[in-house]
Amino acid sequence: MESPELSFTLAYIVFSLCFVFTPNEFRSAGLTIQNLFSSWLGSEDVGFIQYHVRRTSITLLVHSALPLGYYLGMCIAAPEKNLGSIHQVSDSWRAFLLLSLCIQLTSWTLVIYWARRRWHNHPISRALQSHIQPPHSGWGSVATSVNDEFRRIDKFATGAPGARVIVTDSWVLKVTTYHVYMALQMECHVTVTDSRQHQLTPDSASPAQILTLTVGSINPAVRPFDIRLISTEYAELREKLHAPIRNSANVVIHQTMTELFLETFRAQVDLNHPYTLPSGQEVEPCIGCMQVPANTKLVRLCHTEGADTESECQQCFCRPMWCLSCLGRWFASRQDQQRPETWLSSRVPCPTCRAKFCILDICVVN
C-alpha cells in the first residue's frame, strides 16, 4: 500500500509541475486566462489599466485554485484513495485539502478587498496613486493618461507575456503576471546592471545578449524594478526613452551588424552635400516609419566625387519620402549578409522608383 508520505510527495510534485509547465502548454493550445475570460476582461487597447486590474485579479483566483483542482482531480483519477471521504483519507491528504481551501479562501478575500471602492485598493491602483500630481486630481486621471498613451502606435513594447516592457512618451511600464510596475519618464533613471549571453533563442539560431536594466525613480513612493530585453532592441529603447541610461557594471552591449552599419552609414551621409528644398515644398512624414519627417533626398552625386564616370547609379526624381534611419535599414537589407565588407561600396534600388543609388548619392534635407 502506498504510504501517506509518498502520496503527499507525489501531490506536491504534481502541484509544482502545474505552476512550472502547464502555463506554456495551455498557452500553446490557446487556453490562457486572457482568452478564457476575454468577455469580462475587455480590451487592453481600450482600457489598459482596467484590463490589467481585472487580469491580475482573475489570475490570482485561478492560480490559487490549482491545489484544490488537483485534489478534486485526484478524487476522480484515483477513486481507490477515497479522497471524497474526508474522514477516511490520511492526515497528509487532509492537510493538503485544508491548505488548498485556505489558499482559495484567502485569495477570494483579497480580491474582494481589492475591488472595494471601484478597485481603489488594488496594487495597480495604489501604484497610480503614487503619481498623483497636477494636472491629475486622482488615480483615475492618471489611469486615463496611461490608457491614452498605450493606444498610440509609436510606443516601444517587447518581452514575453509574463514580463512585458512598454515605454510610452511619459511612462515606463513592466507588465508581470500579478502586477504592473510603472514609473514616470521625467522622474526615473535607468541603469544597465547585467548582461547574459544565450546561445539559442526561439526566434534565431544566433546567440543573443539579454540585458537587465534597473528603473529607479526620484519619487520615494515608487519602488525600483528590473526590465529585461535583447541587446538588439536596446537602440530602439534608447530612442523612445527620454530618461538617462547609465552603465554601472561596465556592460558591453553587443549590437547587430545592421546597427553597426547604420552608425557608419549616418556618419558617411553627413559628409555628403546637403539638399535644399525648393521654395514652397513641405517636408512630409517618412513613409517607412511615419514617426519623423522625411529628411533624405537621392541625388546622383557619385560621379562628381571622383567615382567611376560609368557609374551604375541613376538619377532619382522622387521627392524626399524617407528618413535616414529607414533608408539605412533598406540599404542594409539589400546587402549580402555574408559579405559586410562590401556594404558601403554597393548600390541598391530606390525603395520607391527603383533607380539605383550608392551611399554618395544620399543627401540630408537642409
Side-chain angles (χ1 to χ4, degrees):
M1 178 179 291
E2 185 180 26
S3 64
E5 292 78 9
L6 181 58
S7 299
F8 184 78
T9 302
L10 292 175
Y12 178 79
I13 292 175
V14 176
F15 170 56
S16 301
L17 291 177
C18 287
F19 281 97
V20 176
F21 293 107
T22 55
N24 290 332
E25 299 296 333
F26 288 163
R27 190 176 295 114
S28 62
L31 298 176
T32 62
I33 290 177
Q34 289 86 339
N35 293 336
L36 295 176
F37 300 93
S38 58
S39 60
W40 184 72
L41 293 177
S43 172
E44 184 184 39
D45 292 329
V46 174
F48 175 83
I49 293 297
Q50 291 79 0
Y51 175 88
H52 286 286
V53 164
R54 300 188 188 102
R55 181 193 60 81
T56 52
S57 300
I58 198 66
T59 298
L60 177 64
L61 294 177
V62 171
H63 287 182
S64 64
L66 288 177
L68 183 59
Y70 168 73
Y71 186 91
L72 297 177
M74 288 296 293
C75 292
I76 301 174
E80 69 278 2
K81 295 181 181 295
N82 294 323
L83 297 180
S85 178
I86 301 179
H87 300 288
Q88 297 180 11
V89 299
S90 62
D91 293 339
S92 58
W93 278 108
R94 190 179 296 113
F96 182 80
L97 175 60
L98 180 60
L99 178 62
S100 303
L101 292 173
C102 290
I103 293 175
Q104 183 70 0
L105 180 61
T106 301
S107 64
W108 274 100
T109 303
L110 184 60
V111 171
I112 292 174
Y113 170 74
W114 286 349
R116 294 180 59 188
R117 298 168 58 189
R118 302 181 64 181
W119 301 99
H120 179 80
N121 298 320
H122 195 280
I124 297 179
S125 303
R126 292 186 177 275
L128 291 170
Q129 294 170 28
S130 303
H131 297 285
I132 297 177
Q133 54 182 304
H136 305 299
S137 58
W139 70 269
S141 176
V142 182
T144 301
S145 173
V146 177
N147 293 343
D148 291 342
E149 293 194 9
F150 181 79
R151 283 193 289 267
R152 299 173 185 172
I153 62 175
D154 61 341
K155 62 179 179 294
F156 170 80
T158 185
R164 291 170 59 203
V165 177
I166 302 168
V167 180
T168 66
D169 293 336
S170 304
W171 296 92
V172 180
L173 308 170
K174 177 185 177 181
V175 179
T176 63
T177 303
Y178 301 107
H179 192 50
V180 175
Y181 298 90
M182 57 190 71
L184 271 173
Q185 284 212 43
M186 61 182 298
E187 297 179 347
C188 74
H189 48 83
V190 182
T191 305
V192 182
T193 57
D194 187 31
S195 68
R196 295 176 181 268
Q197 194 77 8
H198 292 259
Q199 296 302 320
L200 295 176
T201 61
D203 300 328
S204 174
S206 59
Q209 183 187 30
I210 307 298
L211 301 177
T212 300
L213 297 86
T214 300
V215 180
S217 176
I218 61 175
N219 187 340
V222 179
R223 294 186 300 173
F225 57 92
D226 292 338
I227 60 176
R228 291 179 175 83
L229 69 156
I230 303 176
S231 60
T232 55
E233 301 171 327
Y234 178 76
E236 186 179 356
L237 171 70
R238 190 171 52 184
E239 290 181 2
K240 189 63 179 178
L241 193 64
H242 307 305
I245 301 180
R246 299 176 297 182
N247 191 336
S248 64
N250 296 322
V251 177
V252 177
I253 301 175
H254 300 159
Q255 300 184 84
T256 63
M257 186 62 67
T258 300
E259 290 173 341
L260 292 174
F261 170 76
L262 287 177
E263 291 184 0
T264 307
F265 180 85
R266 294 189 184 97
Q268 179 60 50
V269 171
D270 288 339
L271 299 177
N272 298 342
H273 294 294
Y275 173 80
T276 302
L277 281 176
S279 177
Q281 183 175 348
E282 297 182 356
V283 177
E284 300 177 358
C286 168
I287 64 174
C289 62
M290 298 300 293
Q291 297 181 17
V292 297
N295 58 1
T296 59
K297 175 72 171 72
L298 298 181
V299 181
R300 188 169 182 246
L301 297 174
C302 57
H303 64 284
T304 65
E305 297 292 340
D308 188 359
T309 55
E310 300 298 329
S311 171
E312 298 180 4
C313 295
Q314 301 169 335
Q315 181 62 47
C316 173
F317 297 97
C318 300
R319 66 181 188 278
M321 303 175 66
W322 299 84
C323 69
L324 186 58
S325 295
C326 289
L327 190 62
R329 292 187 176 91
W330 165 264
F331 198 99
S333 68
R334 308 294 293 182
Q335 306 303 319
D336 184 352
Q337 303 300 313
Q338 305 301 322
R339 301 179 60 193
E341 68 277 3
T342 65
W343 289 14
L344 287 175
S345 60
S346 64
R347 295 171 176 82
V348 301
C350 167
T352 308
C353 70
R354 302 301 176 178
K356 285 189 176 181
F357 69 95
C358 67
I359 196 171
L360 296 175
D361 298 332
I362 305 173
C363 301
V364 176
V365 174
N366 196 1

